[in-house]
Every structure is written in C-alpha cells, then in structure tokens.
C-alpha cells in the first residue's frame, strides 16, 4: 500500500508486505471394461464394444496450447485475483473469459472494466500485510455481494491471491471460493529462506556457500560463519525486497541489525559474492515444469528504493545472458520445480538467481512460491503471447479438466531468443525518511516523454502493450491523492520498451529521466507532526 494510511480514509496505516495444495489434480481415471470372452461357436465377427465413458473423457481432454486457449476463451467458471492491486496479474482478463480483479486499491480510478473495488471502507484494524488486506476484502459486504451475484449454482468460483494465510483460506471456503494455490501452510514453509536452501540441496541446485544457524551475538556469528570469510550476507527467514537482507563485514554493521537477527530461531548466513541478480518464473504442472526466460533484476538503486538489497524492477530482452548461464538457469529451475512437485507443490513459482561476476557461476538466491512482482514482465513478453501466459498454465491445474501438453517443446520455444522482446519495469518507492501527504498524483495510463525530459499524460490504457516506443511508458499508480508516503512506500510501477540499465548493470539516463519525471508528477506535503512510524515488511507488488 503506498500510504501510511488506509487508501480510502485519512487514517495512517502500515506499509504492506511483499511481495508471493501440494498435490497435483489427478486426471480422470476411466475404469476399463472387462472384455468378455467370445464363444468359439460364434462364427460372425463380434462387434467391438465401445466405452461411452471413455469416449466422453477423451473428448474432454485438451490437446495442446490451441485447445487450452480455446478452453479459457469459453470459460464459464467465475475466476478472481484478489489482492491489494491487480498489478501482478495484469492482462489475465484478456485471456480468460469471466476473470475479474477484486482490489483494495483502485489503480485505474474506476476506468478498468474488470476491476471491482469496494466503494465504502468498513472499520478494520490497521493493515500490516497483504494477507490483512485480503482478509478484509473477503469480509467486506460489497465484495460478498459481488461474489454472490456471479455464483454458478453453489460455487462462487476460484480465486488467486498474491499472499494469503490460513484465515484467508477459511474465509474463502465460507464464501464458496476455491483457492487456486497450494495451502498457506505449505507456501509459508517453502517461502522460508532457510527451508528454500534445504529444498535446493535435495534438488541438486547450487547455492551461494552458506550456513544455517541461530545467531546469539557478533562473536557467535564469527564462530558459526568462520568458513565463509569476513564479508557476509544474512537473511532472516521471511522478508521483502531487501528489507531483511543485511550486509555485514564488522561488528559495527552487525549492531545496526542485531535486534532483527538474534530474534530469529535460524537465519541464512552466506558468503558475500560479487554478483548480479536475475529472476526466472516457472510453473509446476502434472506434465512437468514450464520455465520462462531469465530476466535481469534491478536491485538497490537509491533512486527507487531505500533498501540496499531491495528489488526495484526487471528487464527482459534477447541475449541478456550468455547461452551457458541461460542453459544452467533453465536446468536448475526444472530441477527445483521437479523437487517442488515431489514435495507436493504445484503451480506458479519464481526463483532469484545470483550470477557471480568473478567466476561466472550461477547460484540460487531465493524462492517465491507464487506470482510475483516480475510476473507482469513474464506474462506480457512475446514468447508468452505467442503461446499462452504462464498464469494460464497455473490456473489450468485447478480447472478440473484433463489436458495434454509437451512441456519440453514449449520450453524449447520459449528459450529461443527471437521469441523474446525487450521490456523494462521500474518499481518506484518513496525513499525519504519522511511522512508526506499526497495532494496530487499522476493517474495510470500511457505517458509520453519529450526531448527535454518532461512527460505528459497521453492516453488511458490498462495494458502495457499500448506502449509503442521507448519515448512512451505505461504507469500504474499505487499512491494517489489523499494517501500518505513513508519510507519504502510504493508510489507506482513504470513499464516501457527497451532497457533501463547499462551493460554494467547501472541505471541508464533514460531510466533516471523517467524516474525523475514521474516523481515530479507527485505533489506532497511533509507532515510536521510525525507520528510513530509503523514499519511494514515490504511492498504491495512483490
């Protein structure tokens, strides 16, 4: 939530956490009819008995991508993405008939045809996470009435969430909604950065040299991490966008984060390497793991995030990585996905890989068992549009229909560099340690940049594909008029064609011009009476 308050009242609320059914849905099993022996005295040929049930099942099997696309274009099941915003699943309504977004923040100010957002705010506790927002939505009378109005029989349909907990599951079940994700308990276990490394070990996926241990004090840290050297990176089990990633090389740096580190039962302590971040999204299906192309990550740029290790965007473009790195990333992602399937997981997930700039090795960074902030980039690139977005295959696993899919052929197509076009997205946060009231904010849509570096709103659109040149960009506002900005609050997401980084992984001039121009469209006043800042664990987008 990009405010220090609820988006519909002047009350200051907490920033919201990041942003994230184990068993595959079995295919229909048709009992074989016992073949009756034919008496030898029969001289006429015996007509082969058919199995009507088997024929019906065969007819229901979707055979490859064309059938899958047609199936969703004709879908009659109410499907939803319920979250703080609709950013992570932008465009899903264009692929799937009857797909709707239920959001707390109306990023399109009522102009998006498939976004539902409650008009009146009901009393609630302050939000501390996206889970809190989703639970609030499911308890809101307007949302409940909306779900009821679209029911098919007793079923309210199926829903995806960026983040949810066991309370969300209970509320969804009460409303007749099926959650289209593995259980919250499983996702929480796998989202734990400590457990992620243990899964990677079983899968045979290399990690940066590390130890898992509680930390009592600096002396104890030095003892347990002796084999890793003096420059360390510590991650607590849960955290968002670098908010709980700590770079430590001496006791003074440790003291800054000691309270957050020592309170954990176990943390991940890694050797600090000279690395660049990358991200890759995938989907565990009954036919194997579908893997999208590897993307660059923008991390820690002070122009966009106050967090040193904070994720703040992605790029996807042809030949972004060497063929060897791409091949390894795909292989490791498939190994990890296959292990997730053994653990009982199915559906969408994302892996962060760290590429060592000194030796060229690639290591697993972390797992996000869900759609993520990178999903919009993945699902709108040319390779996805030519077949189907990754989220389509995720939803398919919950649609109670059998299908055939050659995953190896699909992965081979998606790996071809000519099937990748160039896009970048920037996640712009409030980076000052202030609380500010927003009196003016740029609206969502397409902006055009002039030669002098200034921008102007050009036209309303709900899709980044409307961006035609690198002088245009799609902006999705999160913070809007009447909201509050606090350190780390999401202001909005900017998406454009082309690159936003140099080959040395630094922001290029175009990126800096766009960031400055978008920030210039916000008008805010610093609140002099600073109340106690309520620190949330991350952003609404990842």
């Amino acid at each position: 939530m990009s405010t220090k308050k609820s988006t519909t009242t002047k009350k200051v609320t907490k920033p919201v956490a990041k942003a994230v059914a184990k068993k595959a849905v079995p295919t229909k099993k048709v009992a074989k009819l016992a073949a009756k022996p034919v008496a030898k005295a029969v001289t006429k040929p015996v007509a082969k008995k058919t199995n009507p049930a088997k024929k019906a099942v065969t007819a229901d099997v979707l055979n490859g991508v064309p059938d899958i696309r047609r199936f969703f274009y004709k879908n009659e099941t109410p499907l939803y993405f319920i979250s703080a915003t609709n950013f992570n699943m932008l465009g899903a309504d264009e692929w799937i008939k009857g797909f709707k977004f239920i959001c707390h923040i109306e990023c399109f100010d009522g102009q998006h045809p498939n976004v539902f957002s409650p008009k009146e705010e009901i009393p609630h506790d302050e939000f501390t996470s996206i889970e809190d927002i989703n639970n609030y939505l499911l308890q809101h009378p307007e949302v409940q009435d909306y779900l009821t109005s679209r029911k098919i029989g007793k079923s309210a349909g199926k829903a995806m969430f960026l983040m949810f907990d066991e309370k969300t599951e209970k509320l969804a079940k009460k409303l007749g909604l099926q959650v289209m994700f593995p259980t919250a308990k499983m996702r929480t276990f796998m989202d734990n950065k400590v457990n992620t490394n243990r899964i990677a070990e079983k899968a045979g996926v290399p990690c940066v040299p590390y130890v898992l241990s509680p930390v009592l004090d600096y002396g104890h840290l030095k003892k347990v991490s002796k084999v890793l050297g003096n420059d360390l990176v510590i991650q607590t089990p849960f955290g968002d966008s670098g908010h709980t990633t700590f770079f430590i090389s001496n006791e003074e740096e440790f003291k800054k984060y000691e309270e957050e580190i020592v309170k954990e039962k176990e943390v991940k302590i890694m050797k600090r390497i000279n690395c660049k971040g990358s991200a890759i999204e995938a989907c565990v299906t009954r036919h194997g793991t579908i893997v999208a192309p590897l993307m660059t990550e923008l991390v820690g740029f002070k122009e966009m995030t106050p967090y040193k290790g904070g994720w703040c965007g992605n790029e996807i473009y042809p030949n972004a990585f060497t063929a060897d790195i791409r091949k390894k990333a795909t292989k490791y992602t498939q190994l990890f996905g296959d292990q997730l399937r053994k653990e009982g997981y199915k559906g969408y997930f994302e892996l962060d890989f760290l590429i060592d700039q000194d030796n060229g090795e690639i290591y697993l960074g972390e797992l996000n068992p869900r759609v993520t902030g990178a999903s919009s980039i993945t699902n709108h690139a040319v390779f996805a549009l030519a077949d189907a977005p990754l989220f389509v295959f995720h939803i398919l696993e919950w649609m109670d229909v059998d299908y055939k899919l050659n995953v190896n052929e699909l992965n081979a197509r998606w790996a071809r560099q000519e099937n990748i076009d160039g896009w970048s997205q920037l996640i712009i946060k409030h980076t000052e340690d202030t609380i500010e009231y927003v009196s003016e904010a740029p609206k969502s849509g397409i902006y055009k940049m002039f030669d002098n570096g200034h921008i102007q709103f050009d036209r309303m659109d709900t899709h980044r594909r409307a961006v035609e040149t690198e002088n245009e960009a799609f902006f999705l506002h999160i913070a809007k008029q009447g909201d509050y900005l606090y350190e780390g609050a999401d202001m909005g997401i900017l998406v454009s064609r082309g690159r936003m980084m140099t080959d040395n992984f630094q922001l290029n001039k175009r990126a800096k011009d766009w960031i400055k121009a978008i920030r210039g469209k916000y008008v805010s006043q610093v609140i002099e009476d600073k109340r106690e800042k309520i620190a949330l664990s991350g952003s609404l987008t990842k």
Side-chain angles (χ1 to χ4, degrees):
M1 178 171 323
S2 39
T3 71
K4 186 71 177 177
K5 64 170 206 83
S6 166
T7 58
T8 53
T9 68
K10 302 297 187 222
K11 183 179 178 182
V12 175
T13 63
K14 306 178 179 182
V16 187
K18 189 174 182 178
V20 85
K22 295 187 155 191
K23 298 193 177 180
V25 177
T27 58
K28 294 182 179 179
K29 295 182 180 179
V30 181
K32 294 182 178 180
L33 294 178
K36 296 182 179 180
V38 180
K40 291 183 180 180
V42 176
T43 56
K44 294 182 180 180
V46 179
K48 185 177 180 180
K49 291 192 176 183
T50 59
N51 185 343
K54 190 168 184 177
K55 278 190 174 182
V57 172
T58 302
D60 289 340
V61 175
L62 307 179
N63 190 12
V65 172
D67 279 4
I68 292 169
R69 290 171 62 139
R70 183 169 58 251
F71 170 78
F72 280 110
Y73 287 146
K74 298 172 67 177
N75 170 63
E76 295 295 335
T77 303
L79 300 176
Y80 302 95
F81 178 62
I82 302 175
S83 194
T85 77
N86 65 332
F87 164 65
N88 307 84
M89 291 287 287
L90 275 175
D93 55 319
E94 299 172 14
W95 286 86
I96 303 172
K97 179 187 174 187
F99 193 101
K100 304 292 183 182
F101 303 98
I102 298 177
C103 305
H104 179 58
I105 300 174
E106 227 294 25
C107 300
F108 291 96
D109 305 313
Q111 298 300 303
H112 195 299
N114 292 311
V115 170
F116 178 85
S117 184
K119 291 181 171 57
E120 299 294 328
E121 182 159 355
I122 62 173
H124 61 85
D125 294 334
E126 290 194 46
F127 299 137
T128 62
S129 65
I130 292 178
E131 291 92 332
D132 286 350
I133 290 178
N134 290 335
N135 294 339
Y136 164 82
L137 288 171
L138 292 178
Q139 295 175 89
H140 198 293
E142 290 180 41
V143 173
Q144 292 175 352
D145 289 346
Y146 181 66
L147 292 172
T148 298
S149 71
R150 302 187 72 241
K151 269 188 173 183
I152 303 294
K154 294 183 179 180
S155 173
K158 304 170 189 282
M160 291 178 66
F161 299 86
L162 178 61
M163 307 291 286
F164 63 91
D165 54 23
E166 292 180 359
K167 180 178 179 180
T168 318
E169 291 173 327
K170 292 178 182 177
L171 291 170
K173 184 177 181 180
K174 184 177 179 181
L175 294 172
L177 279 174
Q178 179 190 4
V179 178
M180 293 187 289
F181 256 114
T183 64
K185 182 178 181 181
M186 172 177 283
R187 292 212 316 174
T188 299
F189 175 84
M190 291 179 171
D191 203 24
N192 183 315
K193 293 178 175 61
V194 171
N195 293 332
T196 296
N197 275 47
R198 293 190 170 112
I199 295 172
E201 286 179 356
K202 289 192 283 186
V205 176
C207 301
V208 176
Y210 71 96
V211 294
L212 305 176
S213 173
V215 173
L216 305 179
D217 51 39
Y218 184 69
H220 184 237
L221 171 64
K222 293 290 290 180
K223 181 179 179 181
V224 299
S225 64
K226 186 177 180 180
V227 296
L228 302 177
N230 294 321
D231 289 335
L232 305 172
V233 179
I234 296 179
Q235 288 186 320
T236 55
F238 301 100
D240 159 62
S241 302
H243 192 66
T244 56
T245 297
F246 311 115
F247 299 86
I248 294 171
S249 57
N250 54 55
E251 188 168 6
E252 182 181 358
E253 290 176 345
F254 175 80
K255 288 293 183 183
K256 288 170 60 178
Y257 312 113
E258 181 174 12
E259 183 179 349
E260 293 178 82
I261 294 170
V262 300
K263 71 178 182 181
E264 300 291 346
K265 293 181 179 179
E266 194 174 35
V267 297
K268 180 167 69 172
I269 307 164
M270 297 178 288
K271 176 183 178 180
R272 187 171 181 178
I273 62 173
N274 176 26
C275 66
K276 297 300 180 184
S278 64
I280 194 166
E281 296 198 309
C283 183
V284 177
T285 76
R286 68 195 71 172
H287 298 296
T289 301
I290 302 171
V291 182
L294 190 64
M295 298 176 278
T296 67
E297 279 202 319
L298 283 73
V299 177
F301 289 115
K302 64 182 185 301
E303 293 87 348
M304 289 184 285
T305 178
Y307 308 124
K308 187 175 181 180
W311 166 81
C312 51
N314 297 89
E315 295 177 318
I316 188 168
Y317 59 96
N319 300 307
F321 304 92
T322 66
D324 182 58
I325 287 176
R326 293 198 305 267
K327 185 177 179 180
K328 285 182 178 179
T330 299
K331 175 186 174 182
Y332 295 156
T333 303
Q334 285 180 309
L335 288 173
F336 201 95
D338 293 344
Q339 184 61 42
L340 286 178
R341 190 179 180 190
K342 292 177 184 176
E343 303 279 335
Y345 185 91
K346 68 173 180 176
Y348 211 110
F349 71 97
E350 182 263 349
L351 298 178
D352 289 346
F353 281 109
L354 304 175
I355 303 170
D356 194 321
Q357 300 300 288
D358 296 330
N359 61 20
E361 290 300 316
I362 180 169
Y363 302 103
L364 178 68
E366 64 179 57
L367 160 72
N368 289 300
R370 51 185 167 78
V371 294
T372 72
S375 298
S376 180
I377 285 284
T378 295
N379 290 304
H380 292 146
V382 162
F383 67 88
L385 300 181
D387 283 304
L390 200 59
F391 60 68
V392 164
F393 300 104
H394 169 90
I395 295 172
L396 185 59
E397 287 291 314
W398 272 268
M399 292 304 291
D400 306 316
V401 62
D402 198 5
Y403 69 97
K404 295 179 181 178
L405 184 68
N406 190 321
V407 168
N408 290 335
E409 285 185 0
L410 186 66
N411 286 339
R413 281 199 301 275
W414 286 15
R416 292 169 59 185
Q417 297 305 287
E418 60 266 35
N419 290 334
I420 300 173
D421 55 344
W423 288 92
S424 298
Q425 69 175 15
L426 306 177
I427 313 301
I428 303 171
K429 298 178 181 292
H430 183 62
T431 56
E432 300 297 323
D433 189 12
T434 58
I435 297 176
E436 302 181 20
Y437 176 79
V438 179
S439 55
E440 293 181 31
K443 53 189 174 183
S444 297
I446 307 296
Y447 287 78
K448 186 169 288 187
M449 177 172 281
F450 300 102
D451 291 341
N452 60 11
H454 288 270
I455 62 172
Q456 183 178 38
F457 181 80
D458 189 69
R459 59 197 185 275
M460 166 60 191
D461 207 290
T462 64
H463 204 301
R464 77 172 205 194
R465 282 185 299 183
V467 174
E468 296 179 354
T469 70
E470 292 188 11
N471 289 329
E472 291 185 343
F474 170 74
F475 182 68
L476 181 77
H477 77 194
I478 295 179
K480 55 187 177 180
Q481 182 179 356
D483 288 347
Y484 288 86
L485 300 175
Y486 51 83
E487 186 181 28
D490 293 300
M491 298 177 73
I493 299 102
L494 185 87
V495 186
S496 184
R497 293 182 182 273
R499 298 198 59 191
M500 291 292 188
M501 287 196 296
T502 66
D503 290 340
N504 295 323
F505 288 85
Q506 299 300 312
L507 287 182
N508 61 27
K509 182 179 183 301
R510 187 169 78 99
K512 292 179 180 179
D513 287 346
W514 273 108
I515 295 167
K516 180 181 178 181
I518 285 293
R519 287 193 184 280
K521 291 293 182 181
Y522 278 91
V523 178
S524 60
Q525 292 76 45
V526 175
I527 309 256
E528 293 183 10
D529 181 18
K530 285 190 180 180
R531 60 209 77 185
E532 183 181 352
K533 187 170 68 173
I534 304 168
L536 298 185
S537 54
S539 78
L540 291 169
T541 57
K542 193 183 181 186

